[in-house]
Amino acid sequence: MSKKVNRRTFVKLTGAAGLVSATEMPSLGGSNTVPQGSSARSGDALRDFPRGFIWGTATASYQIEGAVKEDGRGPSIWDTFSHTPGKVVNNATGDVANDHYHLYKTDVQLMKALGVKAYRFSIAWPRVFPNGDGPPNPKGLDFYNRLVDELLANDIQPFATLYHWDLPQSLQDRFGGWEGRETAKAFADYAGYVTARLTDRVKHIFTINEFGAFIEVGYRWGIHAPGLKLTGLRLNQTRHHAVLGHGLAVQAIRASAKSGTRVGIAENITIPVPVVETPTHVAAAESAMREMNAQYLTVIMEGKYTDYYLKSAGADAPKFTPEELKTISSPLDFVGINVYTPQFVRADASSPVGYAQVPHPKSFPHAPSFWLFIAPDALYWGPRHVAKLWNAKEIYITENGCSASDEPAADGKVYDTDRVTYLRSYLTQLRRATAENVPVRGYFLWSLMDNFEWADGYTNRFGIHYVDYATQKRTPKLSADFYREVIARNAVV
Ligand code: PNW
């Protein structure tokens, strides 16, 4: 890592007398020599990130790998779901996706060219255990061994997620997937197996990605795999088994990890943003943070379900034991949060929890993904709540990014100025958090490249590299140029 250079030294280095104007900036596209901590724009001090900040990108197995039948991989609920007509836009599947299974070396070079220090990927459970439990398939894990070695050879730290939604179909068939406690147990066994074999090289492990998405969207709304519409006790028990699976996995990871392994979670918390930043609304947002995440991150951090959640659920409250709550709240080394969109709240003295939700007005701007309302301050309030409410000492932004229409221009380049504006605005708010000593240690941009966007198929692109699926050609978008500059300067540009 290059030495921190302050404004004066930088000015000296560049030979400019005084403020360096934007026109004197090195051109986009290759500035790894630019000193860290120097955005070279007015107000630089407000743009620098802490030294050693970890800039990364993120992806997930089913969204990029393809090769769904190769080397003994078993079917997952996403294979079944995407092959069910009418479930995914244009009936798209992840059968080939970005063919990353074969092109991983190319993709590592994309990251190297960006200058990222870390890569968050996920491991496909059905590659490692084709039936979810039972005999392992060593050839499946070999792929991740190759990937990890390639990353390390290129000075990129691997951050591995164990579950990013591709549940082995067999567990769905036999136990109802996360409806069954057996799945939580099988997950822990799989977690222990992988940990024992990768943590000589992989030092950061995430158990589960986004309870708030795969349970709610998959088991409640039926929009994602497995396409169920559970309600009442069945839904609450499924949520409980998912957090239990996380807790059992944390224990299994601790039991089989090589020393120096750190374990955490990647959750898309609901992020309450105070409508106006006054102490009353801020207090309301803090109360909302606990309640709106009661079934997931709150019980993980506090070891109990909130009184309000249990009372509101009444007879539908999940059945649990004190020992399970202890397992669920097994201490974590870090907390990862995926940050996209806000939930505005205001103080409301008439509510038992002190807040009311404020719905988005019709005119509120959003990305092509209907749920992605754009509010950069979500990237301030998300980590701030986690640090303040639960005293988290190490936080990662495990995903942040946006979909865009991304049409290539005549010169073949995608000038995604909307995504650049989104990222710049969100990162400015993240910088506000780090300046207040909220302990955010790293940021993983979603996503390295366009990929299979679940029920939206290939229609909503989130990448900073454009993927031509007919040729598998990857082309850096303007946002990739932007991100390269952010990383090189360790500052918002
Ligand atoms: C996350 N919502 O998904 C996932 O972790 C990624 O796999 C995904 O590609 C990315 O964000 C972009 O969608 C979400 O409806 C899906 O609020 C849906 C929602 C949130 C996150």
Short mmCIF file of all heavy atoms in Angstrom, two decimals, residues 425-447:
data_model
loop_
_atom_site.label_atom_id
_atom_site.label_comp_id
_atom_site.label_asym_id
_atom_site.label_seq_id
_atom_site.Cartn_x
_atom_site.Cartn_y
_atom_site.Cartn_z
N SER A 425 -22.36 9.74 -4.98
CA SER A 425 -23.21 10.29 -3.92
C SER A 425 -23.24 9.35 -2.71
O SER A 425 -23.15 9.79 -1.57
CB SER A 425 -24.64 10.48 -4.42
OG SER A 425 -24.63 11.08 -5.68
N TYR A 426 -23.36 8.07 -2.97
CA TYR A 426 -23.39 7.11 -1.85
C TYR A 426 -22.04 7.09 -1.13
O TYR A 426 -21.98 7.07 0.09
CB TYR A 426 -23.76 5.70 -2.35
CG TYR A 426 -25.26 5.42 -2.41
CD1 TYR A 426 -26.08 6.07 -3.32
CD2 TYR A 426 -25.86 4.50 -1.55
CE1 TYR A 426 -27.45 5.82 -3.39
CE2 TYR A 426 -27.23 4.23 -1.61
CZ TYR A 426 -28.02 4.88 -2.53
OH TYR A 426 -29.37 4.62 -2.59
N LEU A 427 -20.95 7.10 -1.90
CA LEU A 427 -19.63 7.04 -1.26
C LEU A 427 -19.35 8.30 -0.43
O LEU A 427 -18.65 8.24 0.58
CB LEU A 427 -18.53 6.84 -2.31
CG LEU A 427 -18.45 5.42 -2.90
CD1 LEU A 427 -17.41 5.36 -4.01
CD2 LEU A 427 -18.12 4.40 -1.80
N THR A 428 -19.90 9.41 -0.87
CA THR A 428 -19.73 10.65 -0.10
C THR A 428 -20.37 10.48 1.28
O THR A 428 -19.83 10.93 2.30
CB THR A 428 -20.35 11.83 -0.86
OG1 THR A 428 -19.67 11.95 -2.12
CG2 THR A 428 -20.20 13.14 -0.09
N GLN A 429 -21.50 9.79 1.33
CA GLN A 429 -22.15 9.53 2.62
C GLN A 429 -21.40 8.49 3.44
O GLN A 429 -21.38 8.55 4.67
CB GLN A 429 -23.60 9.09 2.39
CG GLN A 429 -24.50 10.21 1.87
CD GLN A 429 -24.73 11.29 2.90
OE1 GLN A 429 -24.93 11.00 4.08
NE2 GLN A 429 -24.73 12.54 2.47
N LEU A 430 -20.79 7.54 2.75
CA LEU A 430 -19.98 6.56 3.48
C LEU A 430 -18.77 7.25 4.11
O LEU A 430 -18.38 6.98 5.25
CB LEU A 430 -19.51 5.44 2.54
CG LEU A 430 -18.69 4.33 3.19
CD1 LEU A 430 -19.50 3.61 4.27
CD2 LEU A 430 -18.21 3.32 2.15
N ARG A 431 -18.22 8.20 3.36
CA ARG A 431 -17.09 8.99 3.85
C ARG A 431 -17.48 9.80 5.09
O ARG A 431 -16.70 9.95 6.03
CB ARG A 431 -16.61 9.90 2.71
CG ARG A 431 -15.66 11.00 3.11
CD ARG A 431 -14.34 10.43 3.63
NE ARG A 431 -13.42 11.47 4.01
CZ ARG A 431 -13.54 12.25 5.07
NH1 ARG A 431 -14.58 12.14 5.86
NH2 ARG A 431 -12.62 13.16 5.35
N ARG A 432 -18.71 10.25 5.09
CA ARG A 432 -19.23 10.96 6.26
C ARG A 432 -19.21 10.02 7.48
O ARG A 432 -18.84 10.43 8.58
CB ARG A 432 -20.66 11.41 5.95
CG ARG A 432 -21.34 12.18 7.04
CD ARG A 432 -22.78 12.50 6.63
NE ARG A 432 -23.56 12.98 7.76
CZ ARG A 432 -24.88 12.91 7.85
NH1 ARG A 432 -25.59 12.38 6.86
NH2 ARG A 432 -25.51 13.36 8.90
N ALA A 433 -19.58 8.78 7.26
CA ALA A 433 -19.58 7.81 8.37
C ALA A 433 -18.16 7.54 8.87
O ALA A 433 -17.91 7.56 10.07
CB ALA A 433 -20.25 6.51 7.94
N THR A 434 -17.22 7.30 7.94
CA THR A 434 -15.86 6.99 8.40
C THR A 434 -15.24 8.21 9.09
O THR A 434 -14.48 8.06 10.04
CB THR A 434 -14.94 6.51 7.24
OG1 THR A 434 -14.89 7.51 6.23
CG2 THR A 434 -15.43 5.20 6.65
N ALA A 435 -15.62 9.41 8.63
CA ALA A 435 -15.09 10.63 9.27
C ALA A 435 -15.58 10.75 10.71
O ALA A 435 -14.93 11.36 11.55
CB ALA A 435 -15.50 11.86 8.47
N GLU A 436 -16.73 10.16 10.99
CA GLU A 436 -17.26 10.16 12.37
C GLU A 436 -16.81 8.92 13.13
O GLU A 436 -17.41 8.55 14.14
CB GLU A 436 -18.79 10.22 12.34
CG GLU A 436 -19.33 11.55 11.86
CD GLU A 436 -20.85 11.60 11.80
OE1 GLU A 436 -21.52 10.70 12.37
OE2 GLU A 436 -21.37 12.53 11.17
N ASN A 437 -15.80 8.27 12.59
CA ASN A 437 -15.23 7.07 13.23
C ASN A 437 -16.17 5.89 13.32
O ASN A 437 -16.00 5.02 14.17
CB ASN A 437 -14.67 7.41 14.62
CG ASN A 437 -13.49 8.34 14.51
OD1 ASN A 437 -12.66 8.19 13.59
ND2 ASN A 437 -13.42 9.33 15.39
N VAL A 438 -17.16 5.84 12.47
CA VAL A 438 -17.92 4.59 12.33
C VAL A 438 -16.94 3.59 11.70
O VAL A 438 -16.34 3.89 10.66
CB VAL A 438 -19.16 4.80 11.43
CG1 VAL A 438 -19.88 3.48 11.21
CG2 VAL A 438 -20.09 5.85 12.05
N PRO A 439 -16.75 2.41 12.34
CA PRO A 439 -15.63 1.55 11.93
C PRO A 439 -15.90 0.72 10.67
O PRO A 439 -15.92 -0.51 10.71
CB PRO A 439 -15.42 0.65 13.15
CG PRO A 439 -16.77 0.56 13.77
CD PRO A 439 -17.44 1.88 13.52
N VAL A 440 -16.09 1.41 9.55
CA VAL A 440 -16.26 0.71 8.28
C VAL A 440 -14.88 0.44 7.71
O VAL A 440 -14.11 1.37 7.52
CB VAL A 440 -17.11 1.54 7.28
CG1 VAL A 440 -17.29 0.77 5.97
CG2 VAL A 440 -18.46 1.88 7.88
N ARG A 441 -14.57 -0.83 7.47
CA ARG A 441 -13.22 -1.21 7.04
C ARG A 441 -13.11 -1.47 5.55
O ARG A 441 -12.00 -1.59 5.03
CB ARG A 441 -12.78 -2.48 7.78
CG ARG A 441 -12.83 -2.35 9.30
CD ARG A 441 -11.78 -1.37 9.81
NE ARG A 441 -11.82 -1.27 11.26
CZ ARG A 441 -11.90 -0.12 11.92
NH1 ARG A 441 -11.94 1.03 11.27
NH2 ARG A 441 -11.93 -0.11 13.24
N GLY A 442 -14.27 -1.66 4.89
CA GLY A 442 -14.17 -1.96 3.46
C GLY A 442 -15.50 -1.83 2.77
O GLY A 442 -16.56 -1.71 3.42
N TYR A 443 -15.44 -1.85 1.45
CA TYR A 443 -16.62 -1.61 0.61
C TYR A 443 -16.53 -2.52 -0.61
O TYR A 443 -15.50 -2.55 -1.30
CB TYR A 443 -16.59 -0.14 0.19
CG TYR A 443 -17.58 0.27 -0.88
CD1 TYR A 443 -18.84 0.76 -0.53
CD2 TYR A 443 -17.24 0.20 -2.23
CE1 TYR A 443 -19.74 1.17 -1.52
CE2 TYR A 443 -18.13 0.60 -3.22
CZ TYR A 443 -19.38 1.09 -2.85
OH TYR A 443 -20.26 1.50 -3.82
N PHE A 444 -17.58 -3.28 -0.86
CA PHE A 444 -17.62 -4.19 -2.01
C PHE A 444 -18.70 -3.72 -2.98
O PHE A 444 -19.89 -3.78 -2.64
CB PHE A 444 -17.90 -5.62 -1.55
CG PHE A 444 -16.79 -6.21 -0.72
CD1 PHE A 444 -16.73 -5.96 0.65
CD2 PHE A 444 -15.80 -6.97 -1.30
CE1 PHE A 444 -15.70 -6.49 1.43
CE2 PHE A 444 -14.77 -7.50 -0.54
CZ PHE A 444 -14.72 -7.26 0.83
N LEU A 445 -18.27 -3.26 -4.13
CA LEU A 445 -19.22 -2.74 -5.10
C LEU A 445 -19.96 -3.91 -5.77
O LEU A 445 -19.34 -4.86 -6.26
CB LEU A 445 -18.45 -1.92 -6.14
CG LEU A 445 -19.25 -0.94 -7.00
CD1 LEU A 445 -18.32 0.14 -7.55
CD2 LEU A 445 -19.99 -1.58 -8.13
N TRP A 446 -21.29 -3.82 -5.81
CA TRP A 446 -22.10 -4.78 -6.55
C TRP A 446 -22.47 -4.15 -7.87
O TRP A 446 -23.21 -3.19 -7.88
CB TRP A 446 -23.37 -5.18 -5.77
CG TRP A 446 -24.09 -6.26 -6.52
CD1 TRP A 446 -25.01 -6.10 -7.52
CD2 TRP A 446 -23.91 -7.67 -6.35
NE1 TRP A 446 -25.41 -7.31 -8.00
CE2 TRP A 446 -24.75 -8.29 -7.30
CE3 TRP A 446 -23.12 -8.46 -5.51
CZ2 TRP A 446 -24.82 -9.68 -7.42
CZ3 TRP A 446 -23.19 -9.83 -5.64
CH2 TRP A 446 -24.04 -10.43 -6.59
N SER A 447 -21.92 -4.63 -8.98
CA SER A 447 -21.16 -5.86 -9.04
C SER A 447 -19.97 -5.68 -9.98
O SER A 447 -19.94 -4.74 -10.78
CB SER A 447 -22.07 -6.97 -9.56
OG SER A 447 -21.39 -8.21 -9.67
#
